[in-house]
Amino acid sequence: MKNTQSDRSVRKVVIVGGGFGGLYAAQSLGRAPVQVTLIDKRNFHLFQPLLYQVATGTVSPADISSPLRLVLSKFKNVRTILDEVVDIDPQRKKVVLLDGELDYDTLIVATGVSHHYFGNDHWKAYAPGLKTIEDALEIRSRIFTAFEAAEKESDPLKRRAWLTFVIVGGGPTGVELAGAIAEMTRGSLRDDFRNIDTTSAQILLVEGMDRVLPPYAPQLSAKAQEDLSRLGVTVRAKTIVTNITEGVVTVRHGEEEEAIPTQTVLWAAGVKASAMGQILRDRAGANLDRAGRIIVEPDLSLPNHPNIFAIGDLAHFAHQGERPLPGVAPVAMQQGEYVAKLLKRHLKGDTLPPFQYADYGSLAVIGQNSAVVDLGFVKLSGIIAWLAWVFAHIYYLIEFDNKLIVLTQWGWNYFTRGRGARLITGKDTVSVLSERMKREIFVGAGNDRKG
Amino acid sequence: MKNTQSDRSVRKVVIVGGGFGGLYAAQSLGRAPVQVTLIDKRNFHLFQPLLYQVATGTVSPADISSPLRLVLSKFKNVRTILDEVVDIDPQRKKVVLLDGELDYDTLIVATGVSHHYFGNDHWKAYAPGLKTIEDALEIRSRIFTAFEAAEKESDPLKRRAWLTFVIVGGGPTGVELAGAIAEMTRGSLRDDFRNIDTTSAQILLVEGMDRVLPPYAPQLSAKAQEDLSRLGVTVRAKTIVTNITEGVVTVRHGEEEEAIPTQTVLWAAGVKASAMGQILRDRAGANLDRAGRIIVEPDLSLPNHPNIFAIGDLAHFAHQGERPLPGVAPVAMQQGEYVAKLLKRHLKGDTLPPFQYADYGSLAVIGQNSAVVDLGFVKLSGIIAWLAWVFAHIYYLIEFDNKLIVLTQWGWNYFTRGRGARLITGKDTVSVLSERMKREIFVGAGNDRKG
C-alpha cells in the first residue's frame, strides 16, 4: 500500500477509524485542499447507539450501518482503505498497516474503546459485550436460543435458568438491553410459545452504583428505574458481579452474596481504550488515563506532537467542566469536525480557539414510549422523551443512507409489535444448543442466598 | 422433548422442515382438529428466492426471513421445535431428535436439498453455494472483500484475479448472482474506489449446457443471455469446471482447457437431497432418484407408508408431465397444502384425487428492469417480465411479515442505486484478507489457453 503519487505537495491527512469521530473528520475535510486517507478494519460505519436494537431483534445490521465508501464516495480527495494500523512512527511520519505503510503529515486517531472485564477476561465467553455487529448477532442468537431451550426443557430449575437474563451495568446500553428484553417477553413473544410463559422471564439489571444511569440527574434515574420496573426489569443497584461461570453469575450486595442460575449474561459494564492508546504512549509519549484513553491538549493534539490528534471515545479531554467529556457520539462528531476545521485554518495560516463541546443534552431510551432526556435546563421522561429520542436518532441517520429503512422498520414494529429480525444465526445452532441443554450446571447453585 | 399429554386421541402430525412445503402444510393444518409439531434446525422460514439479494448486498437476512413462531403464532394447535431429526422409526411411529423423540400419526418430511459438488467436496472451501443465510453472508463478504483487496493490490495480475468473478451454473441462481454482481460493478460501486475501475471487472457465468436457463424456452434463454451480456456478464456455455483450487478455476470447453485466475468462485450448479432421503430409504424402504430425492406416490406418500409424506424439493413427483416436477417454491407450497387437505379429508373419512401441480409459469430475474417469464402460453422478457417478477415476489412476501421492508428497500435501491447492505462481516476480516493477499498463487497460471 503506497500513497498516491499524484501530488507530492498536497498535505496528507491519515484518519484511523471510521466511527463518529473519524467519519465526521473525513467528511469535513472533503473538498478541502488535502489528501485524506481513512483506514478502518471494517468496510462500514456503525451507528452504535442503535446496536442494542440489532441485539434484541428489531432491526438488521445493515439498517444501522453505512458502507464507508458510499458515505465518502462524493469526496474525490478522500480514499478509504480496509486495513489495520499495527504501529505508528512519528519521527518518519508513517503509519504501519498490516499490508504496507502510509506517509502522513497529519494523523487523526479515532479508534474508540472496547469492552473491559476488569481483569476477568475469562468472563467474556459467558457474558458477551455489545460493541460490534458480530457482538450484536451473538447476543441476538443467545437471547432467542434461550427461549427455544426453555420451550424444550422439562426440568423446572433448568427452565428457570434459561428464562433468566442478567444484564451487567446500568448505563444507557444496559438499560436499553434490559428494557428491550423485558418488553419482548411481555409483548411480541408472548403468544409464540406453547410450553413456557415468556412473561415469567426474569430480567435482572445489575449496577454497582446506587442507581441506574448514574451520570444523569437523580430524578431521571428514579424515573428510568420506575419505567424499567413497570416493563418487568428487576434493578439490582449497589450490586457487583463477583464471578461468572457457565450457567451461574455470582453477585454481591453489601455483605450478601448470591449465585443466580442463568444461561444468558450480557456485559454492559466497563470499557477500555483501544490499543492505539498504548501505541501512541510508546511511540509519541502520550499520557493515558486509567482507562487507557489519551489525555489531549485543548486543541485535541498530543503534547509535543501538534500534527497528531486523538478524538472521540479514545480521547480524554479534561479542559471543560469537572470531569472529562463523556464517550458519546456528539462529542466524537464535534471533535472530528473541530480537527478538520483546525487543519483548514492552519492551511490558511490561521488559528482556531481551543475545542469547546456544545452539550445539547443526554438521551437514554428504556422502551417503547419511554425514555429520559436531560437537556440541562429541562429534564424530560416518558413519551415526550421517547419522541425526542426517536427524532434525534432519525435526524442523525438522515445524514447517511439508512433513515428510510429504519424509520419503516420502527413504524412497522411500533404498530405490529413484531420483532421480525429475531433470527438465530451462526453455524450448528441446534447441536450447540443440544450440548448446552445436556450439561448439568446448576447442582447446588439453586437460588440460595448466603448471608 | 415429549409430546404434550393433553389429548391422547388427537391425531399427531409431525412436519420436518419449515421451508415452503413444511410451512404451508403447517399453516393449512392450523385450526384443523390435529396436533401439529413443526421441527426445524432454524428458528425462521427463509424466502430462498431472494437469497441472492442478501449475497449481493441489497437486502438484509431478516428482510427475507420470518420467525417460524411468529408466522404460526395464531394457530394454537401448532407448536414449533428448534431441533434436528436424526432418525425415524416407522414401526414405533417415532421421530428421533437430537434432544429426545416425538410420536407421530402422520409424518410430513420437507427438508429440501443442499449443494452438490459432483464428488468434489473439496471445492466447497473455494466455491461456496447459496442455500442458507450463512452462505449468503459468506458470499457477500467474499464479493465485497474482493473489491477491497483489488483497491489495495498493486500487482496488475493479482488485481485482475481479485476483479474476476466466476459463477458456476447457469440456472436461475447463477443468472441472478452474475447479473447482480455485473450490475453493481457498472452501477452502485463505480464511484466508490480510487485505484480500480470496477467496470473492468470480469464476471464469467459458466454453464455446461448449450445455454443459460436450460429448462426455459430457447428464445427466453437467448434473451437472458443478451441481457446478461449487456450488463457485462460473459456467458461461457458448453463449458464445464474441471478443477477449483485457491485462486484458480479450471474449465473445459470442448477440447480446450483454460485456467482462470480468480479469487471469487460461486457455486450455483448442483443440488442433492438432504439426508432425510437416506434415512427414509433405510427405515421405510423409500426409493430415491439419482439426486437422492424420494420417489413419491400420486398422493405424495411413500410406498407402503400411507402416513409418511415427502414434499417440496426432497420429493420426486413423476406422475405429471415427462420430467419430475422442478424444485421450485410453488411446487412445494402446493404440495404442502395438498397433504394438509388430504389429512383433513381423511379425518372426515373422505378421499382426495392425486396431487396435480398447477403451473402458473416460471420466472427468472437478470437485473434491474430485466427478467424472463415463461407462462407457457406467453413468454415475456425485459421490463414487463421484471415487473411481473417484482409483483409475484411481493405477493408471496405479503403472506408473511416482511413485505413492507423489502418493498421500501427495493424502492430505495431502485431510485438511489445504492447497495446499503454491502457489509463485510465475520471475525478478523482484515487479517484474513492480509493473509490471502500475501499468497503467491498465480505463478504460471496466467491467462494461457491450453489447446
Side-chain angles (χ1 to χ4, degrees):
Chain A
M1 180 49 52
K2 293 215 180 81
N3 288 86
T4 309
Q5 307 295 318
S6 52
D7 190 346
R8 279 265 156 231
S9 68
V10 172
R11 220 177 152 73
K12 296 182 186 73
V13 180
V14 170
I15 302 171
V16 188
F20 287 106
L23 187 56
Y24 271 65
Q27 286 184 313
S28 305
L29 289 169
R31 304 200 179 99
V34 291
Q35 181 201 302
V36 179
T37 305
L38 176 67
I39 304 162
D40 200 292
K41 291 192 285 184
R42 314 307 302 260
N43 73 329
F44 53 87
H45 167 76
L46 177 63
F47 191 79
Q48 222 154 11
L50 291 180
L51 197 54
Y52 83 96
Q53 295 207 348
V54 174
T56 53
T58 307
V59 300
S60 287
D63 299 339
I64 60 159
S65 306
S66 302
L68 286 168
R69 293 192 181 283
L70 191 67
V71 177
L72 297 169
S73 178
K74 60 176 179 251
F75 303 117
K76 295 302 170 198
N77 67 322
V78 180
R79 63 172 178 161
T80 308
I81 294 177
L82 183 75
D83 214 320
E84 190 171 346
V85 173
V86 292
D87 204 358
I88 284 167
D89 183 343
Q91 279 68 48
R92 291 166 58 229
K93 294 204 278 186
K94 278 183 192 297
V95 164
V96 183
L97 306 172
L98 266 182
D99 292 313
E101 48 183 46
L102 269 182
D103 297 328
Y104 68 81
D105 297 304
T106 302
L107 178 65
I108 304 173
V109 182
T111 49
V113 292
S114 61
H115 314 300
H116 187 35
Y117 289 85
F118 308 121
N120 297 288
D121 283 348
H122 55 288
W123 292 356
K124 195 174 181 177
Y126 311 114
L130 184 62
K131 280 285 165 199
T132 66
I133 289 286
E134 287 76 13
D135 290 341
L137 296 180
E138 170 69 23
I139 290 177
R140 184 175 82 179
S141 289
R142 287 193 188 213
I143 292 171
F144 294 107
T145 298
F147 292 107
E148 295 294 335
E151 175 82 351
K152 297 209 287 183
E153 183 58 65
S154 48
D155 176 337
L157 274 179
K158 283 187 168 189
R159 183 186 284 182
R160 188 88 189 123
W162 284 112
L163 288 176
T164 300
F165 299 85
V166 178
I167 295 100
V168 185
T173 303
V175 167
E176 285 156 5
L177 283 171
I181 296 172
E183 221 164 34
M184 74 171 93
T185 60
R186 274 65 180 171
S188 57
L189 293 185
R190 207 173 40 193
D191 299 326
D192 291 3
F193 294 84
R194 301 290 175 259
N195 299 333
I196 58 168
D197 174 10
T198 61
T199 66
S200 74
Q202 283 194 88
I203 297 102
L204 306 179
L205 181 60
V206 177
E207 166 59 44
M209 309 276 275
D210 62 342
R211 56 192 172 100
V212 297
L213 301 175
Y216 285 65
Q219 69 262 43
L220 288 182
S221 291
K223 191 73 184 75
Q225 195 148 331
E226 195 179 293
D227 284 1
L228 284 168
S229 299
R230 194 177 36 76
L231 288 175
V233 176
T234 306
V235 174
R236 297 267 190 104
K238 292 189 207 162
T239 302
I240 60 161
V241 170
T242 54
N243 200 18
I244 308 177
T245 56
E246 169 121 24
V248 184
V249 56
T250 312
V251 296
R252 196 176 64 219
H253 176 78
E255 294 296 298
E256 204 170 86
E257 198 156 70
E258 183 186 358
I260 305 168
T262 171
Q263 289 285 5
T264 315
V265 185
L266 307 180
W267 189 261
V271 292
K272 65 161 183 238
S274 55
M276 282 300 290
Q278 285 155 51
I279 292 175
L280 285 169
R281 180 192 59 197
D282 299 345
R283 300 300 187 197
N287 293 313
L288 308 185
D289 69 7
R290 285 201 311 167
R293 291 178 299 181
I294 297 168
I295 298 170
V296 292
E297 299 284 289
D299 69 350
L300 304 171
S301 68
L302 268 58
N304 307 316
H305 291 277
N307 66 329
I308 303 181
F309 298 87
I311 59 175
D313 287 7
L314 180 64
H316 174 116
F317 183 89
H319 309 279
Q320 186 180 344
E322 294 158 23
R323 285 179 300 188
L325 293 178
V328 295
V331 171
M333 293 171 182
Q334 291 180 29
Q335 291 185 335
E337 285 173 340
Y338 173 85
V339 173
K341 197 171 176 188
L342 183 72
L343 293 183
K344 288 189 275 191
R345 289 283 180 93
H346 283 176
L347 287 175
K348 293 181 187 160
D350 230 344
T351 58
L352 195 67
F355 173 72
Q356 183 79 19
Y357 174 51
D359 187 354
Y360 299 115
S362 316
L363 300 147
V365 71
I366 297 146
Q368 214 144 64
N369 304 336
S370 166
V372 291
V373 173
D374 192 340
L375 302 176
F377 64 99
V378 61
K379 296 174 199 338
L380 306 171
S381 59
I383 192 162
I384 304 277
W386 184 76
L387 286 171
W389 178 86
V390 168
F391 284 110
H393 284 75
I394 288 170
Y395 176 82
Y396 283 112
L397 281 175
I398 278 171
E399 307 202 38
F400 301 110
D401 64 326
N402 296 299
K403 61 188 184 304
L404 201 59
I405 300 305
V406 173
L407 197 62
T408 315
Q409 187 83 56
W410 281 359
W412 185 249
N413 289 336
Y414 189 83
F415 292 109
T416 64
R417 307 222 159 222
R419 249 163 225 274
R422 58 194 218 211
L423 315 183
I424 301 170
T425 50
K427 306 248 174 213
D428 303 322
T429 308
V430 174
S431 38
V432 170
L433 174 59
S434 175
E435 280 305 309
R436 287 184 69 194
M437 287 189 69
K438 276 164 189 152
R439 280 183 209 149
E440 287 295 339
I441 40 179
F442 312 124
V443 185
N447 210 7
D448 55 313
R449 285 170 181 258
K450 296 172 208 148
Chain B
M1 181 49 51
K2 293 215 180 82
N3 288 85
T4 309
Q5 308 295 319
S6 52
D7 191 346
R8 277 264 159 233
S9 67
V10 173
R11 218 177 153 74
K12 296 183 186 71
V13 180
V14 171
I15 302 172
V16 188
F20 287 106
L23 187 56
Y24 271 66
Q27 285 184 314
S28 306
L29 288 169
R31 303 198 181 99
V34 292
Q35 181 199 304
V36 179
T37 305
L38 176 68
I39 303 163
D40 200 291
K41 290 193 286 184
R42 313 307 301 259
N43 73 328
F44 52 88
H45 167 76
L46 178 62
F47 192 78
Q48 223 154 10
L50 291 181
L51 197 53
Y52 83 96
Q53 294 207 349
V54 174
T56 53
T58 308
V59 301
S60 286
D63 299 338
I64 60 159
S65 307
S66 301
L68 286 168
R69 294 193 179 282
L70 191 67
V71 177
L72 297 169
S73 176
K74 60 175 177 249
F75 304 117
K76 295 301 169 200
N77 67 321
V78 180
R79 63 170 176 162
T80 307
I81 294 177
L82 183 76
D83 214 320
E84 187 171 351
V85 173
V86 292
D87 205 358
I88 284 168
D89 183 343
Q91 279 67 48
R92 293 165 58 227
K93 295 204 281 186
K94 279 183 192 296
V95 164
V96 183
L97 306 173
L98 265 181
D99 291 314
E101 49 184 45
L102 270 182
D103 298 327
Y104 68 81
D105 296 303
T106 302
L107 179 64
I108 303 172
V109 182
T111 49
V113 292
S114 62
H115 314 300
H116 187 35
Y117 289 85
F118 308 121
N120 296 290
D121 282 348
H122 55 289
W123 293 356
K124 196 175 179 177
Y126 311 114
L130 185 62
K131 279 286 165 201
T132 66
I133 288 287
E134 286 77 12
D135 290 341
L137 296 181
E138 170 70 23
I139 290 177
R140 185 174 82 179
S141 289
R142 286 192 189 215
I143 291 171
F144 293 108
T145 298
F147 291 107
E148 295 294 335
E151 174 82 351
K152 296 209 288 182
E153 183 58 67
S154 48
D155 176 338
L157 275 179
K158 283 188 168 188
R159 183 187 285 182
R160 188 88 190 125
W162 284 112
L163 287 177
T164 300
F165 299 85
V166 178
I167 296 100
V168 185
T173 302
V175 167
E176 286 156 5
L177 283 172
I181 295 172
E183 221 164 34
M184 76 172 92
T185 60
R186 273 67 180 168
S188 57
L189 293 185
R190 208 173 40 192
D191 299 327
D192 290 5
F193 294 85
R194 301 290 175 259
N195 300 330
I196 58 168
D197 174 8
T198 62
T199 67
S200 73
Q202 283 194 88
I203 296 102
L204 306 178
L205 180 60
V206 177
E207 166 60 44
M209 310 277 274
D210 61 342
R211 56 193 174 99
V212 297
L213 301 176
Y216 285 65
Q219 69 262 44
L220 287 182
S221 291
K223 191 72 186 75
Q225 195 148 331
E226 195 180 292
D227 284 1
L228 284 168
S229 299
R230 194 176 36 76
L231 287 175
V233 176
T234 306
V235 174
R236 298 267 189 104
K238 292 189 205 160
T239 302
I240 61 161
V241 169
T242 54
N243 199 17
I244 308 177
T245 57
E246 169 121 23
V248 184
V249 56
T250 311
V251 296
R252 198 174 63 217
H253 175 76
E255 294 297 299
E256 203 170 87
E257 197 155 69
E258 183 186 358
I260 304 168
T262 171
Q263 289 284 4
T264 314
V265 186
L266 307 180
W267 189 260
V271 292
K272 66 161 184 238
S274 55
M276 283 299 291
Q278 286 155 52
I279 292 175
L280 285 169
R281 180 193 60 198
D282 299 344
R283 301 300 188 200
N287 293 314
L288 308 186
D289 70 7
R290 286 201 310 166
R293 291 179 298 181
I294 298 169
I295 298 169
V296 292
E297 299 285 290
D299 70 347
L300 304 172
S301 69
L302 268 59
N304 307 318
H305 291 277
N307 66 330
I308 303 182
F309 298 87
I311 60 175
D313 288 6
L314 180 64
H316 174 118
F317 183 89
H319 309 279
Q320 186 180 343
E322 295 158 20
R323 287 179 299 188
L325 292 178
V328 295
V331 171
M333 293 171 182
Q334 290 180 30
Q335 291 184 335
E337 285 173 341
Y338 173 85
V339 172
K341 197 171 176 185
L342 184 72
L343 294 182
K344 287 189 275 191
R345 288 283 179 92
H346 283 176
L347 286 175
K348 293 180 186 159
D350 229 343
T351 59
L352 196 66
F355 173 72
Q356 183 79 18
Y357 174 51
D359 187 354
Y360 299 115
S362 315
L363 301 147
V365 72
I366 297 148
Q368 212 145 66
N369 303 335
S370 167
V372 290
V373 173
D374 192 340
L375 302 176
F377 64 99
V378 62
K379 295 174 201 338
L380 305 171
S381 60
I383 192 163
I384 304 280
W386 183 76
L387 286 171
W389 178 86
V390 167
F391 284 110
H393 284 75
I394 288 170
Y395 176 81
Y396 283 111
L397 281 175
I398 278 171
E399 305 202 40
F400 301 111
D401 63 325
N402 296 298
K403 59 187 187 301
L404 201 59
I405 300 306
V406 173
L407 198 61
T408 315
Q409 187 83 57
W410 282 359
W412 185 248
N413 288 336
Y414 189 83
F415 292 109
T416 63
R417 307 220 159 225
R419 250 163 223 277
R422 59 194 218 211
L423 315 184
I424 301 170
T425 50
K427 305 249 175 214
D428 302 323
T429 309
V430 174
S431 37
V432 170
L433 174 60
S434 176
E435 280 304 311
R436 287 183 69 194
M437 287 190 70
K438 277 166 190 151
R439 278 181 211 152
E440 287 295 337
I441 39 178
F442 313 124
V443 185
N447 209 7
D448 55 314
R449 284 171 182 259
K450 294 172 211 149

